[in-house]
Amino acid sequence: TWPSVEEVSEYRRQVRDRIDALITSGKFELTLPLQFKDSACNDNNAFWWIVTMGCEHERIHLETASVHVRELPKKYVKEEMSAFWKKCPKQSNTAPENELVGVDGGSVVLGRPKDSPIYGWDCDYSEGDVVKVNPFKASKFLVSNAEYYHFMKEGGYKERKYWDEEGWSWVQFRKPEHPYFWVRDEASEWGYKLRLQTEEIDIPWNWPAEVNHLEATAFLKFKSEKLNKLVRLPTESEWLLLRDRFVREDQNEWKKAPGNVNLEHFASSCPVDMFAQGPLYDIVGNVWQHTANPMYPYSGYRVQPYYDDFSLPTFDGRHMSMKGGAWISTGNEASRDARFAFRRHFYQFIGIRYIEPMSDDEVDREPFKAVNVGLDPEVEATTHFAFAKSVCGVPNVNTQMAEIALSAFRTHASADVASSAQRALDLYCGAGRITFELTSTFNEVVGSDFTSRKLMPAFAMKERGDTSYVARTLPVDGAPTERTMVEAKSYPWAATYERATFFQADPSNMHAHMTNFDLIVAFNVLENTHSPHLVPAHLLSRLNVGGILVVGSSFVWGEVCNVDVAHSPLYAPDADHLQVLRDLLVADGAAEEVSTDVSSVVAAFPDSLSTGTLRTIKVAAFKKLK
């Protein structure tokens, strides 16, 4: 059952008290400026970077929560809170006529320098690449509700010709007739109201239209048809040119926000002609602005290890970059180099500015697909470890562990469990090789890892039937690389791989839904978890009676392990690890040990894509009795 609100609040208070005590303890010296390039070089910098990261992430939660409040049915929202969500009072039945304004070309510097004193997420930073931007024309205003209404009125949501393949699939699935936050209301003058956080108001036609990327793209095909010329979303570089030229100062330099941003003006959108920034309006603020390019890594991109899956999962060609910030965007979100991205069907406080390029240059999204390949050597090595036929001359241990586990299951699981083979769990699954191997036998297989970053190749295989990684032929020093493609059709589980599902979880404290398994495979788990002695019993509690738990471990404790011998004899220098494991599982009659085909296997754990460490993996299997 879920904990009560009071229990959650008490837990939050305890965490806050602990963090406050660490901040004020003097244990961690703060040296300014705190910079990305030094954020993980010592414990002092690491601590203060994580504290700052937490503050900035809370700003993201503030904005995300405000979207969710707006999505809630009104019966769950207190209308008296409208005093807190102070909307802009300027609303009109008319909107300014949009027009295209000429913008000279120029150059822009991409990204935030790594020695910037301003906090950034890892995707914000670059090597200072300079990009040339050709001349273009930009819409004077963001697209207003009134301008977008023309698309609706002429049947835009029903015309296939305006939608790309992904967009039309979304239309057929969701069957939209208007933007998400519009509400049909026959009693109102125009037949619609606009849902805000706590109330519904008559449509303010002079406020920006808030639409997802699919709708924005369809609208601009419609607009191009009406104008008889190409208009499209701006690229990140084109938006940066507008910002550098007409806004100039960054968030930390403002005396007053130049637009409806940073919660300095309103707690809602406002008219599109209210905040002039040069010859245009709302380059910064009011609502975020869609861009034409998917999210991609700047040159010199490096994963920030304390939030290693903040950006990498978005470098997949499916997450579209957005710029400019909304009325509720604060801190980093309101800065020049902030980079956020969502899938194209996703809703946020986000709208449309369009540009007319001076040449017929549609933006090609193809080069942005799988741009995360090669960025993260640890994930590349994990993927190689999962799918290579052999590593450092040793046969792939993942296939061996899958075969051992399946043999133990077929031989020892109780008859009813073995005959149904409903659910299996693969822990510390990485790129998911064991998970996929188990799908040939089980109807559902859950793969789990500590970080979603390492699950990215598994997600790709699940969604597309293929994944890829960069195989370095020499040690990583600028040496030649080649991209290796792995396809499900090449494996025995080609017809069943879609049975796999992946979750991020801690094996000593798994999600409540991760239960009722007939087989659990815990390979390389104990040596990579904080409290190994707590894991076996926890896993047994998630296993069905008659099911099988297979453990494979080198018992070489990793850096994350808290291996105080006072906690468990498992950590004693001369411990008989398998006997301790038996004592943890068998002593009270909850389980019995069963035989396996082999008692040990040799595994090559990759240190890189060309080197690895050989370890002997001891294998044991247990059948749950009660």
Side-chain angles (χ1 to χ4, degrees), residues 195-468:
R195 169 65 189 270
L196 303 182
Q197 267 60 38
T198 60
E199 58 185 318
E200 294 174 359
I201 63 174
D202 288 336
I203 287 285
W205 295 108
N206 58 340
W207 287 17
E210 297 164 301
V211 296
N212 66 28
H213 197 278
L214 300 170
E215 292 169 301
T217 304
F219 168 79
L220 291 180
K221 286 192 177 180
F222 165 83
K223 192 73 178 179
S224 296
E225 180 180 271
K226 297 302 176 184
L227 294 174
N228 198 30
K229 57 186 175 184
L230 172 67
V231 290
R232 59 162 172 81
L233 295 170
T235 62
E236 271 194 65
S237 299
E238 289 162 341
W239 181 88
L240 285 169
L241 182 71
L242 297 178
R243 197 198 187 288
D244 288 352
R245 187 167 292 169
F246 301 126
V247 180
R248 299 187 182 90
E249 290 182 332
D250 210 347
Q251 193 264 5
N252 61 304
E253 301 167 322
W254 295 336
K255 293 180 180 178
K256 185 70 173 177
N260 186 18
V261 68
N262 211 44
L263 281 173
E264 291 191 39
H265 296 281
F266 308 109
S268 75
S269 298
C270 68
V272 296
D273 58 352
M274 190 169 182
F275 288 96
Q277 295 159 7
L280 308 180
Y281 288 75
D282 292 333
I283 297 170
V284 169
N286 213 354
V287 292
W288 290 90
Q289 296 166 49
H290 291 292
T291 74
N293 56 265
M295 190 69 161
Y296 67 99
Y298 287 149
S299 64
Y301 171 82
R302 292 292 181 271
V303 173
Q304 213 298 328
Y306 306 131
Y307 198 158
D308 59 8
D309 54 3
F310 181 86
S311 303
L312 269 174
T314 70
F315 300 154
D316 60 357
R318 299 182 179 190
H319 288 73
M320 304 303 292
S321 177
M322 61 189 205
K323 300 292 288 185
W327 51 269
I328 197 169
S329 304
T330 62
N332 165 273
E333 293 178 279
S335 67
R336 173 194 187 268
D337 298 308
R339 305 180 75 217
F340 293 89
F342 288 110
R343 291 286 292 267
R344 298 182 69 208
H345 62 276
F346 207 85
Y347 283 102
Q348 192 73 14
F349 304 145
I350 186 166
I352 308 168
R353 181 183 304 282
Y354 51 86
I355 73 154
E356 178 191 355
M358 293 296 96
S359 56
D360 232 17
D361 62 336
E362 284 277 16
V363 177
D364 182 10
R365 288 169 51 200
E366 194 66 28
F368 295 99
K369 292 183 178 179
V371 291
N372 52 10
V373 173
L375 287 177
D376 191 337
E378 186 177 357
V379 172
E380 307 298 321
T382 298
T383 311
H384 180 65
F385 174 69
F387 293 107
K389 290 183 178 180
S390 63
V391 179
C392 299
V394 175
N396 191 307
V397 70
N398 295 279
T399 57
Q400 294 182 74
M401 284 301 304
E403 290 166 2
I404 292 167
L406 288 172
S407 176
F409 177 77
R410 296 183 186 114
T411 304
H412 300 293
S414 62
D416 57 331
V417 170
S419 62
S420 61
Q422 290 297 316
R423 301 187 82 206
L425 172 64
D426 171 25
L427 287 163
Y428 204 62
C429 70
R433 179 63 182 276
I434 294 176
T435 310
F436 291 121
E437 294 285 341
L438 298 182
T439 62
S440 299
T441 298
F442 291 87
N443 293 326
E444 179 188 2
V445 184
V446 175
S448 173
D449 206 290
F450 293 95
T451 169
S452 61
R453 165 175 151 248
K454 290 186 179 179
L455 291 173
M456 287 169 54
F459 280 120
M461 183 69 78
K462 157 82 173 178
E463 291 183 4
R464 302 195 305 261
D466 63 62
T467 192
S468 56

Side-chain angles (χ1 to χ4, degrees), residues 494-537:
T496 60
Y497 71 91
E498 291 181 333
R499 296 177 182 176
T501 306
F502 297 95
F503 295 103
Q504 180 180 4
D506 179 345
S508 62
N509 186 24
M510 292 188 292
H511 305 300
H513 65 83
M514 295 176 68
T515 191
N516 297 326
F517 293 105
D518 299 324
L519 171 67
I520 297 178
V521 181
F523 165 53
N524 198 31
V525 173
L526 300 182
E527 52 268 62
N528 287 289
T529 192
H530 182 264
S531 301
H533 67 286
L534 299 178
V535 173

